[in-house]
Amino acid sequence: MPIIVNLDVMMAKRKISLGELAERIDLTPVNLSILKTGKAKAIRFSTLEAICKELDCQPGDILEYRVEE
Amino acid sequence: MKKRLNIFCVCMIAAFLLSVSGNVYLIIEMFINGVEVGMKAAQGEITEIPQYKMVHVLPTDMMETTGTVTNLKDGRQLAVKPITALVECPYSHSSHGFEVLQGLIGLIVIIGFVYATVYFAKLMIHINRNIVFDWINVKHLRRVGWSLTGICVLSFVSIWISNHQLAQCIELAGSKLNILIAFSDSSLILGFIALLASEVFAIGLRLKEENELTI
């Protein structure tokens, strides 16, 4: 998929673990892992909002569009 | 929900058995007749065994009488215009290669029917075990669909071969051989319905996966 999830990069920048972030945004670690590894097919605005709020970033910092070769 | 599914399954099997019962009866009767004639020939009572072929014809001239039957109600002779009949066909006109090919096609068609039935039964067992929206069911439905479609295509080839052989030795007055009368499209329709259902299942599964992977 040409949409790349850079959640791991932002999490590393904010020095926050997957479990901790999952707990803060009220999401299961399994679901957050699916999102982090790029296996997710879609993301809800509410989830994106919660992640942006916790990581103090913009949606563009987490999601990136890259042209498929 | 499952009770209704199983009732429909039983109804379908009953309808299938009813639809093939005529052909099974014909095959058994012809087999018994063939054995009796063969035994008579072995004992020297018959010198030549007549070869009959199933003929499917379309009447072209309604004035031409193919034969007559007696109406027992009033004793009158009534003209007959058969669409399907057993007609004697000299064996010397038919090729052994074609006979073997037709036999092979018949065998493949039987195997195909068994294959489709087995996978249909597997599908029903899965649904009864609450495994409904699963890729394995899509595969089973596709197998049922393609095998039924294949059966139809092979049956058409067999009919075409039979028609080709008959055209060499038979030309009936007032009728012409017609391949479409013999062609049964029920397995083709069932095959396409199964393929259509498999695609509906696949779309449902993709939607389910998408829903499950929405975070």
Side-chain angles (χ1 to χ4, degrees):
Chain A
M1 220 165 53
I3 300 291
I4 310 295
V5 181
N6 291 322
L7 186 64
D8 48 350
V9 179
M10 281 312 292
M11 279 165 66
K13 277 183 186 171
R14 302 288 184 259
K15 293 186 176 78
I16 188 167
S17 71
L18 185 111
E20 200 183 336
L21 181 64
E23 201 178 314
R24 282 192 197 176
I25 61 171
D26 198 24
L27 212 68
T28 64
V30 177
N31 277 347
L32 195 62
S33 174
I34 288 169
L35 186 64
K36 201 183 98 177
T37 50
K39 286 176 191 164
K41 295 256 180 186
I43 180 166
R44 287 189 191 92
F45 279 154
S46 55
T47 312
L48 192 61
E49 186 191 335
I51 292 170
C52 289
K53 194 177 171 185
E54 275 309 315
L55 297 178
D56 190 24
C57 64
Q58 291 298 312
D61 296 327
I62 296 163
L63 302 173
E64 181 192 340
Y65 172 71
R66 217 175 279 174
V67 181
E68 240 177 348
E69 284 173 15
Chain B
M1 189 174 71
K2 271 187 219 163
K3 192 181 167 189
R4 209 183 299 171
L5 178 98
N6 288 328
I7 289 169
F8 281 135
C9 251
V10 170
C11 287
M12 211 196 87
I13 291 163
F16 172 74
L17 290 174
L18 202 69
S19 73
V20 296
S21 61
N23 282 336
V24 171
Y25 177 73
L26 189 73
I27 289 166
I28 292 168
E29 277 289 311
M30 288 177 92
F31 180 78
I32 293 166
N33 272 337
V35 170
E36 281 172 1
V37 171
M39 282 169 77
K40 279 180 186 172
Q43 286 163 2
E45 288 176 38
I46 303 169
T47 50
E48 203 177 328
I49 301 170
Q51 294 288 320
Y52 285 98
K53 291 275 179 189
M54 187 80 87
V55 181
H56 302 277
V57 289
L58 194 72
T60 50
D61 183 6
M62 291 309 282
M63 296 308 287
E64 188 79 46
T65 311
T66 313
T68 55
V69 285
T70 310
N71 182 4
L72 293 173
K73 295 265 183 193
D74 56 7
R76 283 171 61 191
Q77 293 288 312
L78 301 174
V80 177
K81 280 283 187 196
I83 291 174
T84 303
L86 281 172
V87 176
E88 193 182 344
C89 180
Y91 190 69
S92 56
H93 281 84
S94 63
S95 150
H96 281 289
F98 277 140
E99 295 278 341
V100 172
L101 188 65
Q102 269 194 301
L104 271 175
I105 289 171
L107 199 69
I108 295 167
V109 164
I110 292 167
I111 293 167
F113 257 119
V114 172
Y115 184 82
T117 312
V118 165
Y119 278 100
F120 181 74
K122 278 187 177 182
L123 175 78
M124 288 303 129
I125 290 165
H126 271 177
I127 292 171
N128 270 303
R129 286 178 185 163
N130 274 338
I131 310 165
V132 184
F133 284 104
D134 197 290
W135 284 108
I136 196 84
N137 286 348
V138 176
K139 272 186 187 173
H140 286 350
L141 266 171
R142 279 182 185 154
R143 279 173 183 156
V144 171
W146 284 119
S147 53
L148 287 175
T149 313
I151 284 167
C152 187
V153 171
L154 284 174
S155 300
F156 189 77
V157 171
S158 177
I159 293 163
W160 184 84
I161 291 169
S162 181
N163 227 45
H164 175 77
Q165 279 180 288
L166 286 167
Q168 289 176 350
C169 63
I170 287 172
E171 197 177 342
L172 301 173
S175 306
K176 65 174 180 182
L177 294 171
N178 194 298
I179 196 164
L180 292 172
I181 293 171
F183 181 63
S184 163
D185 53 5
S186 58
S187 68
L188 188 69
I189 293 167
L190 278 174
F192 282 137
I193 287 172
L195 288 173
L196 200 75
S198 77
E199 287 314 307
V200 171
F201 259 67
I203 291 166
L205 263 167
R206 276 187 215 111
L207 283 171
K208 187 187 161 211
E209 278 179 1
E210 209 167 274
N211 199 36
E212 279 172 357
L213 289 171
T214 298
I215 311 298

